[in-house]
Amino acid sequence: MSFRDDTEEGRNDLRRPFLHTGSWYRMGSRQSSMLESSQVIRDSSISVLACVLIVALGPIQFGFTCGYSSPTQAAITKDLGLTVSEYSVFGSLSNVGAMVGAIASGQIAEYIGRKGSLMIAAIPNIIGWLSISFAKDTSFLYMGRLLEGFGVGIISYTVPVYIAEIAPQHMRGALGSVNQLSVTIGIMLAYLLGLFVPWRILAVLGVLPCTLLIPGLFFIPESPRWLAKMGLTDDFETSLQVLRGFDTDITVEVNEIKRSVASSSKRSAIRFVDLKRRRYYFPLMVGIGLLVLQQLGGINGVLFYSSTIFESAGVTSSNVATFGVGVVQVVATAVATWLVDKSGRRLLLMISSIGMTISLVIVAVAFYLKEFLSPDSNMYNILSMVSVVGVVAMVISCSLGMGPIPWLIMSEILPVNIKGLAGSIATLANWFVSWLVTMTANMLLAWSSGGTFTLYALVCGFTVVFVSLWVPETKGKTLEEIQALFR
């Protein structure tokens, strides 16, 4: 073997995915081994649904991180002697870590694959939860929250992209919505377990999703579109065949993906001047716009500090009410998962943002009126219940559209050759605004609950306009057909 052959072999090894697709179901390249390997594939191939359920452990971790700060606020502030502002910093630090993770997420996912990036994301999550569990002061508490956030930032980009790239077009909406459904399940679990276990034990339980995710990644294929982009043709076709089933003819889909990759590879380096072209700036604007408006609508502020909101509304069992909100959110997101491939993305986004606007206006009015009433009056109690119902309605409305669909659309519309960079920018924007909302929510609620919900309602009203003017419908289209919309 010559030196050139050695060099080429070394380059090919470097382009192999960090976690290989798995030799146990690989198709044999030689005719003599086809009969043996075909039976292995038929017996061992994993369905797309199984792959989605495994990577969904990442969003469950994401949701658990979001939900952790609500049921633990009173106990942590008491045990460690934190002020409201110090606990607000703790609650928002996951967003700071997520911003760092978001910056790195696109490039990590591009260079070592979707599975490899999820493996990297799992490790700081585990370390972060253990750091919080053993915290004696704010230093370990803050460090753990930052590490959690870093992992969640990578997860929040990688999981929806992986699901979009492996799902058949007729199932992509429903499977893509499983990402947000898993986030809501994680939030609900944090609320539920927070009712029964101390905050330190709850932090230990937080390591479970990622602990299960790590071995699960070895049993699922890498994204076929990423493998195709990296030039790993054999692995790409093997991965796609396993995902679609051995008896399925994948010729048409293989050719579509190859054409898309070949088209995007004609200019692999994207300059800022290229972003003036509609095929790049328009999907990036839509992706960033939806993810930013999702957070400015205040959903994370409501979820992070729901116990405080219910206390200010006069609810005595605020943690139980918070758990009830978590259950409602899971059910509503499950409904959205079922509807998204039937009714389409745009319609659900419109219904969701209109519903959020009306709900937030009701909550704001209720809080404003309560300022003029005695806490012992019947009207005060009625308005307290109205505000709780409004918050629940807001969560339901968000879960039907603005919760799951922005991440789904972001993973669908970004062109292949800028997906890493553009996805990082969109995810960073989402987490930066999320940090602003969670950092200020507690203080805004202390200033004026009515004023806070009024601000959120104005944003949701603008979202209605944004969706009606600029968000395209992607239902029933392949990723390659979606890219063609912007050319």
Side-chain angles (χ1 to χ4, degrees):
M1 181 180 289
S2 67
F3 174 75
R4 177 176 293 181
D5 292 336
D6 290 337
T7 304
E8 289 299 319
E9 185 176 344
R11 287 177 180 171
N12 289 334
D13 288 340
L14 286 175
R15 294 168 72 184
R16 293 281 172 186
F18 180 66
L19 293 176
H20 204 270
T21 52
S23 59
W24 56 277
Y25 61 73
R26 291 196 48 168
M27 297 176 69
S29 58
R30 296 180 181 178
Q31 184 69 28
S32 61
S33 64
M34 279 301 292
L35 291 177
E36 295 178 7
S37 64
S38 65
Q39 188 61 40
V40 173
I41 297 171
R42 182 179 287 108
D43 294 342
S44 306
S45 61
I46 296 181
S47 69
V48 171
L49 180 60
C51 296
V52 171
L53 292 177
I54 289 173
V55 298
L57 290 165
I60 289 175
Q61 179 74 84
F62 177 173
F64 203 89
T65 300
C66 293
Y68 180 81
S69 61
S70 183
T72 58
Q73 180 170 356
I76 292 178
T77 52
K78 179 181 178 183
D79 291 352
L80 301 183
L82 304 184
T83 63
V84 172
S85 60
E86 285 175 328
Y87 192 81
S88 294
V89 170
F90 168 72
S92 64
L93 276 178
S94 62
N95 297 293
V96 176
M99 283 188 274
V100 179
I103 294 170
S105 62
Q107 298 307 308
I108 292 174
E110 289 301 304
Y111 283 107
I112 67 172
R114 312 327 189 194
K115 289 168 57 180
S117 63
L118 289 176
M119 175 72 79
I120 288 176
I123 296 171
N125 264 297
I126 293 172
I127 297 172
W129 282 115
L130 294 176
S131 176
I132 291 174
S133 177
F134 294 104
K136 299 295 183 183
D137 53 29
T138 56
S139 58
F140 269 76
L141 199 68
Y142 289 173
M143 181 184 72
R145 194 70 169 168
L146 278 169
L147 287 171
E148 286 173 16
F150 178 78
V152 164
I154 297 175
I155 288 169
S156 64
Y157 167 76
T158 307
V159 170
V161 167
Y162 176 80
I163 294 174
E165 291 179 343
I166 69 170
Q169 66 185 71
H170 66 282
M171 296 174 62
R172 195 176 60 245
L175 292 178
S177 298
V178 169
N179 175 62
Q180 184 64 21
L181 177 62
S182 301
V183 173
T184 62
I185 290 172
I187 293 171
M188 183 190 69
L189 288 173
Y191 290 167
L192 175 62
L193 295 172
L195 294 173
F196 303 106
V197 300
W199 64 273
R200 293 185 188 276
I201 301 299
L202 189 62
V204 172
L205 294 175
V207 307
L208 291 178
C210 280
T211 304
L212 296 173
L213 175 63
I214 291 173
L217 290 171
F218 289 95
F219 294 94
I220 62 176
E222 180 57 87
S223 161
R225 284 177 169 82
W226 180 80
L227 292 170
K229 182 182 177 183
M230 298 301 289
L232 302 172
T233 306
D234 291 340
D235 290 327
F236 145 56
E237 294 185 13
T238 300
S239 176
L240 190 62
Q241 189 72 72
V242 170
L243 289 166
R244 300 295 180 259
F246 182 70
D247 295 326
T248 303
D249 184 0
I250 60 171
T251 305
V252 174
E253 191 170 3
V254 165
N255 290 334
E256 284 183 356
I257 294 173
K258 284 182 177 179
R259 279 196 299 269
S260 176
V261 170
S263 174
S264 64
S265 298
K266 290 177 181 178
R267 173 174 285 180
S268 57
I270 298 296
R271 300 170 298 177
F272 278 103
V273 68
D274 293 325
L275 295 179
K276 295 179 180 179
R277 299 168 63 186
R278 188 178 188 274
R279 63 177 298 185
Y280 295 132
Y281 81 76
F282 190 82
L284 185 58
M285 178 199 74
V286 171
I288 291 176
L290 282 176
L291 288 173
V292 167
L293 290 170
Q294 178 196 62
Q295 295 301 328
L296 285 177
I299 186 62
N300 268 358
V302 170
L303 295 177
F304 274 48
Y305 303 112
S306 53
S307 294
T308 303
I309 292 169
F310 287 133
E311 284 177 8
S312 63
V315 177
T316 53
S317 302
S318 57
N319 283 337
V320 175
T322 298
F323 169 65
V325 168
V327 173
V328 167
Q329 189 181 23
V330 170
V331 174
T333 307
V335 172
T337 300
W338 175 66
L339 286 175
V340 69
D341 277 324
K342 295 178 173 62
S343 59
R345 283 62 155 159
R346 275 173 55 87
L347 178 60
L348 285 179
L349 285 173
M350 291 291 291
I351 293 172
S352 174
S353 50
I354 291 171
M356 288 178 70
T357 303
I358 296 172
S359 302
L360 288 166
V361 168
I362 291 172
V363 176
V365 170
F367 274 113
Y368 277 130
L369 294 177
K370 283 173 63 178
E371 295 176 4
F372 303 100
L373 299 173
S374 168
D376 298 326
S377 66
N378 289 333
M379 183 56 69
Y380 186 93
N381 294 330
I382 292 172
L383 289 174
S384 295
M385 292 307 299
V386 168
S387 61
V388 170
V389 171
V391 168
V392 173
M394 181 258 195
V395 171
I396 292 173
S397 299
C398 181
S399 300
L400 287 174
M402 283 303 294
I405 294 179
W407 291 107
L408 172 62
I409 289 182
M410 183 273 291
S411 67
E412 291 178 325
I413 66 174
L414 295 179
V416 174
N417 53 332
I418 67 164
K419 183 169 280 189
L421 175 61
S424 290
I425 294 172
T427 308
L428 173 62
N430 177 271
W431 282 110
F432 175 71
V433 178
S434 178
W435 171 74
L436 287 178
V437 170
T438 52
M439 185 65 183
T440 58
N442 242 355
M443 292 175 276
L444 283 172
L445 289 167
W447 160 68
S448 170
S449 297
T452 302
F453 286 103
T454 300
L455 291 174
Y456 293 159
L458 290 173
V459 173
C460 292
F462 176 75
T463 303
V464 177
V465 178
F466 182 86
V467 172
S468 62
L469 292 179
W470 292 301
V471 177
E473 181 56 72
T474 59
K475 182 187 75 168
K477 296 180 175 66
T478 66
L479 295 183
E480 289 70 35
E481 288 171 342
I482 295 170
Q483 303 311 313
L485 294 174
F486 305 115
R487 291 173 186 165

